[in-house]
């Protein structure tokens, strides 16, 4: 297999290096494109089947990544969620021989394969029908047909349970520098979200309508404003002394010179951790609000200069904020996890390890588990973290944490 792949790869690279696509006759161009699409499907199927074996065999334990999906995502430079979903789909094909055979022959691309697997798992007797539909329908119509097959095969309770299991919400900064949200919820949760936003949206729409044509905004813009207003009202509400609860704070990383000057110059930073850049004026406004819960991490050329806390929230130590600034991801090389990180003493407390910035780090739950219970070692040398295996790897997990919600 390796010899065949090496030969094909070498020949294809040699062909593409000097091939002039403009030399192809116009009548033959579509045929060439169709052949390359088929080749892409076959190669993608081979790659994903190999990835499934990397995951199933445990070969990924030799990598520094926390799961097979994280390893594949890093190798292919793709989002983890999509890689995890593809791994799940390919692994499920073992129960669907007709689907796997079609996938191996290039009859399905990755998107079609995921849809077929999802529908065929709910209705195994519909595999041949779904494969026939995949041949003649556009992807959007094919997705609708797969949804109809799933709907007919599952009860409403099962559909809602599946939706709840695969719920998620994530955020990112797009190419225009805008904050973006995407989520998946049950219909019940969606109804509650919309019912909470609708009264606020109506107030915004009424206010804008009184301003005339120039004040009108779209329904989508009003809904976005409603979500922001709802969150601002929650953050501004005084804490209930009878029912104390964690209060969120905004953490801002800003150069001291920019804060004093009133604006940032090239090379300086002013950003909300985990969100993205904001203006210095915004940070100053947040710091002046009486109900503000703001941690301003002041930077200079030497690193963290100071941590300024404003507002009345419960105050964690400056050490904690400095640690969060330094370790923005799990410190294990190659991991990169940013959510729900846990604080670990490099040298444990019971061995005399001090609670200092030098002896603290942030780890994801999986690597914290390996270090605590399976003898993995974390060391720091010349400003870099080193992760050393105890050998053999921990026991396999029946439900690995790479089972992420699909995007």
């Amino acid at each position: 297999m390796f010899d065949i792949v090496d030969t094909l790869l070498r020949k294809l690279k040699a062909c593409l290096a000097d091939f002039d696509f403009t030399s192809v006759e116009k009548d033959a161009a579509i045929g060439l494109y169709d052949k390359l699409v088929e080749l892409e499907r076959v190669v993608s199927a081979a790659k994903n089947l190999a990835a499934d074996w990397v995951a199933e065999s445990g070969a990924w334990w030799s990598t520094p990544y926390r799961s097979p999906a994280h390893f594949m995502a890093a190798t292919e430079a793709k989002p983890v969620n999509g890689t995890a979903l593809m791994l799940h789909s390919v692994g499920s094909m073992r129960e669907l021989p007709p689907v796997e055979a079609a996938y191996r022959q290039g009859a399905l691309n990755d998107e079609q394969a995921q849809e077929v697997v999802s529908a065929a798992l709910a209705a195994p007797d519909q595999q041949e029908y779904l494969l026939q539909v995949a041949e003649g329908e556009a992807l959007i119509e094919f997705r609708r047909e797969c949804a109809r097959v799933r709907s007919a095969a599952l009860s409403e309770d099962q559909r809602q349970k599946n939706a709840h299991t695969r719920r998620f919400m994530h955020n990112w900064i797009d190419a225009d520098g805008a904050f973006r949200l995407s989520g998946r919820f049950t219909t019940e949760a969606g109804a509650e979200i919309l019912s909470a936003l609708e009264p606020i949206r109506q107030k915004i729409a009424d206010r804008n309508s009184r301003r005339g044509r120039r004040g009108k905004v779209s329904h989508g813009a009003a809904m976005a404003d409603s979500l922001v207003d709802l969150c601002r009202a929650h953050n501004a509400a005084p804490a209930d002394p009878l029912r104390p609860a964690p209060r969120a704070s905004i953490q801002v990383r800003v150069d001291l010179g920019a804060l004093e000057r009133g604006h940032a110059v090239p090379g300086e930073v002013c950003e909300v951790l985990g969100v993205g850049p904001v203006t210095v004026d915004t940070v100053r406004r947040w710091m002046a609000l009486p109900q503000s819960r703001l941690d301003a991490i002041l930077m200079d050329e030497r690193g963290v200069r100071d941590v300024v806390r404003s507002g009345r929230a419960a105050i964690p130590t400056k050490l904690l904020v400095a640690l969060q600034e330094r370790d923005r991801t799990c410190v294990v090389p190659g991991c990169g996890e940013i959510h729900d990180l846990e604080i670990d003493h490099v040298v444990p407390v019971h061995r005399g390890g001090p609670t200092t910035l030098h002896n603290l780090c942030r780890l994801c739950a999986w690597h914290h588990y390996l270090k605590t219970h399976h003898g993995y070692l974390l060391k720091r040398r010349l400003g870099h973290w080193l992760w050393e295996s105890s050998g053999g790897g921990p026991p396999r997990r029946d439900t690995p944490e790479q089972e992420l919600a699909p995007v």
Side-chain angles (χ1 to χ4, degrees):
M1 179 64 174
F2 280 105
D3 292 340
I4 296 175
V5 172
D6 287 341
T7 301
L8 290 174
L9 187 60
R10 184 172 61 255
K11 288 184 176 181
L12 186 57
K13 286 183 175 179
C15 177
L16 285 177
D18 301 317
F19 189 81
D20 181 10
F21 284 89
T22 62
S23 66
V24 180
E25 295 291 336
K26 182 172 64 173
D27 294 340
I30 292 179
L32 174 61
Y33 177 77
D34 288 341
K35 288 295 183 183
L36 291 175
V37 168
E38 185 178 2
L39 176 63
E40 180 185 36
R41 290 184 176 187
V42 173
V43 171
S44 183
K47 176 200 67 177
N48 290 325
L49 289 165
D52 177 59
W53 177 237
V54 169
E56 182 67 17
S57 66
W60 65 277
W61 284 116
S62 62
T63 75
Y65 298 97
R66 61 183 300 191
S67 72
H70 285 82
F71 167 65
M72 308 305 171
T75 304
E76 300 180 39
K78 291 183 176 180
V80 176
N81 281 358
T83 304
L85 181 57
M86 194 67 239
L87 278 175
H88 171 74
S89 298
V90 174
S92 299
M93 288 181 187
R94 302 188 197 100
E95 306 172 27
L96 307 167
V99 174
E100 181 176 0
Y103 187 56
R104 285 174 177 265
Q105 293 301 310
L108 301 169
N109 62 28
D110 289 348
E111 291 78 9
Q112 290 173 319
Q114 291 176 22
E115 290 292 336
V116 169
V117 168
S118 176
L121 287 175
D125 59 325
Q126 297 293 309
Q127 292 182 65
E128 296 294 346
Y129 168 71
L130 290 169
L131 292 174
Q132 292 175 7
V133 176
E135 292 181 4
E137 293 288 354
L139 181 60
I140 185 170
E141 292 297 332
F142 180 58
R143 283 175 171 166
R144 289 172 181 165
E145 187 59 30
C146 288
R148 284 192 284 268
V149 171
R150 285 191 297 267
S151 178
L154 298 176
S155 68
E156 183 61 29
D157 287 343
Q158 288 174 313
R159 288 197 295 272
Q160 291 302 316
K161 182 178 179 180
N162 289 345
H164 178 72
T165 300
R166 299 171 67 184
R167 69 195 183 281
F168 75 94
M169 190 176 79
H170 68 131
N171 61 271
W172 72 100
I173 302 299
D174 67 14
D176 294 329
F179 178 78
R180 298 283 298 275
L181 282 173
S182 177
R184 176 189 175 96
F185 306 90
T186 65
T187 52
E188 177 183 354
E192 293 181 357
I193 292 171
L194 293 179
S195 67
L197 294 178
E198 181 59 21
I200 307 174
R201 186 201 66 79
Q202 291 180 2
K203 290 182 180 179
I204 293 174
D206 291 343
R207 182 172 66 243
N208 289 330
S209 66
R210 290 194 294 271
R211 296 175 180 173
R213 181 176 298 276
R214 294 181 60 186
K216 291 184 177 179
V217 296
S218 67
H219 180 273
M223 289 296 286
D225 292 342
S226 302
L227 179 60
V228 174
D229 285 358
L230 183 66
C231 294
R232 284 175 175 169
H234 171 77
N235 289 337
D240 185 349
L242 299 180
R243 301 180 63 185
R247 301 301 301 272
S249 64
I250 300 174
Q251 292 187 339
V252 177
R253 181 172 178 262
V254 57
D255 275 280
L256 181 60
L259 190 62
E260 294 174 343
R261 188 185 311 109
H263 65 273
V265 299
E268 292 182 334
V269 65
C270 183
E271 62 181 12
V272 178
L273 299 187
V275 178
V278 294
T279 65
V280 176
D281 283 342
T282 299
V283 174
R284 285 181 163 183
R285 178 172 57 82
W286 284 341
M287 295 179 73
L289 293 174
Q291 293 292 339
S292 170
R293 292 177 297 280
L294 181 73
D295 295 326
I297 305 167
L298 305 182
M299 309 292 296
D300 61 17
E301 65 276 2
R302 294 171 296 177
V304 178
R305 172 75 174 271
D306 197 2
V307 178
V308 177
R309 167 65 63 88
S310 64
R312 308 178 194 173
I315 302 177
T317 64
K318 292 184 178 182
L319 178 62
L320 173 60
V321 178
L323 179 65
Q324 292 171 334
E325 156 62 21
R326 190 195 68 188
D327 299 343
R328 303 186 195 180
T329 67
C330 174
V331 300
V332 174
C335 178
E337 178 62 34
I338 62 174
H339 299 296
D340 301 323
L341 300 182
E342 301 174 359
I343 297 174
D344 179 71
H345 284 73
V346 180
V347 178
V349 175
H350 68 272
R351 294 184 181 177
T355 304
T356 61
L357 186 62
H358 181 74
N359 192 51
L360 293 176
C361 67
R362 296 213 297 165
L363 300 173
C364 67
W366 176 236
H367 283 122
H368 199 183
Y369 163 74
L370 294 184
K371 181 176 180 294
T372 303
H373 299 288
H374 289 277
Y376 280 64
L377 300 177
L378 186 67
K379 300 178 181 179
R380 190 172 177 85
R381 295 287 185 273
L382 301 176
H384 298 283
W385 292 101
L386 304 177
W387 179 252
E388 298 180 1
S389 169
S390 58
R396 295 288 302 280
R397 292 168 289 180
D398 293 333
T399 54
E401 61 183 347
Q402 75 266 18
E403 298 290 346
L404 302 177
V407 178

